[in-house]
Amino acid sequence: MTNSFNDTILKAFRGEQTDHVPVWYMRQAGRSQPEYNKLKEKYSLFEITHQPELCAYVTRLPVENYNVDAAVLYKDIMSPLPAIGVDVEIKKGIGPVIHNPIRSLADVEKLGEIDPHSDVPYVLDTIKLLTEEQLNVPLIGFSGAPFTLASYMIEGGPSKNYHKTKAMMYTDPRAWFLLMDKLADLVIRYVRAQIHSGAKAIQIFDSWVGSLSVRDYRQFIKPVMERIFSELREENVPLIMHGVGATHLAKDWNDLPLDVVGLDWRTTINEARDMGINKSLQGNLDPALLLADWETIEERTKAILDQGMSQPGFVFNLGHGVFPEVKPETLKRLTQFIHDYSKRS
C-alpha cells in the first residue's frame, strides 16, 4: 500500500467538507472491464470470489484504471447465503437461482447461522490483502438487506413483482419476522467481519425494497433495518443505504442510524434535501447515460455536482450499477471530470 492514503470519501460520508467531490461506481469491479471478461473465460463468479488473489485483483482494477476514490469489494449479495443452508447457483443470463426456496415457517426454522471466519474466510482474506497491502483508498464492504435476500430466497430467483415474497409477508407474519431476524443476524455478523478485516465503510443494498409501499416498509422492514444499523453503528464506520426505485422510502431511511442515503436517478439531490433528508447523499447519474455522447454526460453530471456541492456530505455515484456495455474509458473520463470540476481552490 502506498504511503499517501486518500480518505476523501470517508470525510464526505461523514458530512465533512472535502477538497473535491469523491466518486465511486456501483459495480465498478467486473462486468464492463476487458481484464475481468478475460478472467471470466476461465473462472465463474464464485470461483473468483473464492480466490483472494484473483478477487483482490478484480476489486482494485477500477481504482487503478479509473482513479476512483474507493474500491468496492467484488462479490455477490448471494455470497453469504450458502453458509445458512441456501442452495444458490448463479446462472448465466438469469442471475441467482435458489434450488431450495423458502415456502413455510418450517423452512425458515431450518436456516442456520453464519460464522464468517469459517464459512467465508476467502472474503475476509481478500479484504485483508487489499487493505493491508494493495489499496491507497478505502475499501467499501457490503451486504444485501433482509428484504432483498428474502425475495430471492422465497421467489427462487429474480422476480419482477415479488408476489410470493409479499404473500408470505401478509399471510404468515410469524415466518416473515423470523426470516427477517435470521437475515438480520446474518447481515450483522457478515458485515462486522468485513469491518474487522479492514473495510472502511459499508453499503447495505436493498435493491428491490422499492416494490413496497411506505406503510408496508414501516410495518415489515423498518424495525429490522433499525436493528441492523443500530448494532453496526458500534463499529464506527460510515454506513450507506441504497435501493432502486425507492425514493418514497428515503425519508424513512433518513430516520435510521446510518450516515449516507444513496439515491437513484429518479430524484434530484435538491429534491432529496427538500424532503428533509439531512444525511450525506450519494448518487445519482442514470447508468444508461453512460452510453450517451460526452456532451450529454457532462451536462447531466454538472447538474448533479452543482446540487451536491451546495453543502458538505456528497459522494458522486450512479443511481444503479455499471452494466457490461459501458466503456471503461467513459468511466475514466467521467471520474477525471468530476475531480476537476469539483476541485476547491
Side-chain angles (χ1 to χ4, degrees):
M1 188 158 67
T2 63
N3 293 329
S4 55
F5 187 76
N6 170 11
D7 67 348
T8 308
I9 205 161
L10 299 179
K11 291 176 179 166
F13 284 151
R14 293 191 176 110
E16 298 167 21
Q17 189 70 266
T18 55
D19 58 11
H20 68 269
V21 168
V23 54
W24 70 284
Y25 305 111
M26 284 177 277
R27 294 194 187 131
Q28 63 188 18
R31 304 226 289 181
S32 67
Q33 296 185 288
E35 301 94 329
Y36 170 76
N37 289 323
K38 206 162 180 187
L39 271 184
K40 282 284 282 181
E41 290 169 17
K42 276 204 254 181
Y43 306 102
S44 70
L45 183 149
F46 268 28
E47 285 168 338
I48 294 171
T49 57
H50 280 63
Q51 297 180 60
E53 291 280 354
L54 262 188
C55 193
Y57 168 69
V58 174
T59 299
R60 74 170 193 270
L61 256 183
V63 180
E64 294 167 2
N65 291 354
Y66 309 149
N67 197 30
V68 285
D69 296 276
V72 60
L73 188 60
Y74 173 78
K75 62 183 176 60
D76 192 84
I77 63 168
M78 298 289 114
S79 297
L81 291 185
I84 62 168
V86 179
D87 183 1
V88 58
E89 178 188 356
I90 307 289
K91 284 201 172 173
K92 196 174 165 69
I94 298 173
V97 174
I98 310 288
H99 297 296
N100 58 340
I102 299 286
R103 292 285 179 261
S104 65
L105 178 62
D107 292 337
V108 178
E109 287 171 340
K110 275 186 217 147
L111 293 170
E113 294 183 343
I114 192 170
D115 175 353
H117 294 279
S118 59
D119 291 325
V120 286
Y122 45 88
V123 172
L124 309 183
D125 290 344
T126 302
I127 293 172
K128 286 174 189 159
L129 193 57
L130 284 160
T131 57
E132 291 170 12
E133 298 176 26
Q134 299 182 357
L135 289 176
N136 65 345
V137 295
L139 176 71
I140 298 170
F142 72 87
S143 173
F147 178 82
T148 292
L149 295 175
S151 75
Y152 282 107
M153 291 162 68
I154 296 167
E155 303 288 339
S159 169
K160 286 191 166 62
N161 50 43
Y162 314 101
H163 287 164
K164 291 176 187 158
T165 308
K166 291 182 181 183
M168 178 178 281
M169 201 170 75
Y170 297 137
T171 63
D172 196 348
R174 201 167 147 224
W176 178 260
F177 285 112
L178 181 62
L179 180 57
M180 289 297 98
D181 276 343
K182 287 193 172 228
L183 289 173
D185 291 342
L186 168 93
V187 171
I188 292 162
R189 286 179 184 174
Y190 184 45
V191 164
R192 274 212 167 114
Q194 291 181 46
I195 295 167
H196 295 169
S197 299
K200 294 286 188 291
I202 293 292
Q203 177 155 299
I204 303 294
F205 281 95
D206 216 345
S207 311
W208 312 133
V209 79
S211 66
L212 296 182
S213 67
V214 170
R215 177 182 172 174
D216 285 346
Y217 184 81
R218 287 176 182 164
Q219 183 175 347
F220 295 106
I221 308 298
K222 196 172 181 181
V224 78
M225 299 310 294
E226 183 83 43
R227 184 186 145 210
I228 288 170
F229 285 116
S230 296
E231 293 202 29
L232 293 178
R233 187 101 235 116
E234 297 162 13
E235 301 298 334
N236 200 27
V237 302
L239 303 172
I240 311 158
M241 181 75 224
H242 186 78
V244 184
T247 301
H248 60 297
L249 305 177
K251 282 172 84 167
D252 284 279
W253 293 350
N254 195 59
D255 297 339
L256 297 170
L258 49 82
D259 302 278
V260 186
V261 172
L263 299 171
D264 74 7
W265 60 92
R266 294 168 178 86
T267 308
T268 67
I269 307 300
N270 282 350
E271 283 166 350
R273 288 180 177 145
D274 289 345
M275 282 162 60
I277 293 173
N278 54 14
K279 311 273 189 190
S280 294
L281 292 173
Q282 175 180 279
N284 67 341
L285 189 74
D286 184 341
L289 278 161
L290 297 173
L291 299 183
D293 58 88
W294 177 252
E295 288 68 29
T296 305
I297 296 171
E298 187 177 296
E299 177 204 338
R300 297 296 189 93
T301 300
K302 268 186 190 170
I304 293 167
L305 288 170
D306 288 343
Q307 293 184 26
M309 290 162 63
S310 65
Q311 61 189 65
F314 175 66
V315 170
F316 192 94
N317 207 314
L318 307 173
H320 201 188
V322 175
F323 51 94
E325 295 79 7
V326 175
K327 291 188 172 74
E329 53 267 32
T330 304
L331 290 173
K332 184 175 183 179
R333 187 176 182 184
L334 179 59
T335 308
Q336 187 65 52
F337 174 75
I338 292 160
H339 285 163
D340 291 344
Y341 184 79
S342 66
K343 210 167 237 98
R344 295 171 198 277
S345 49

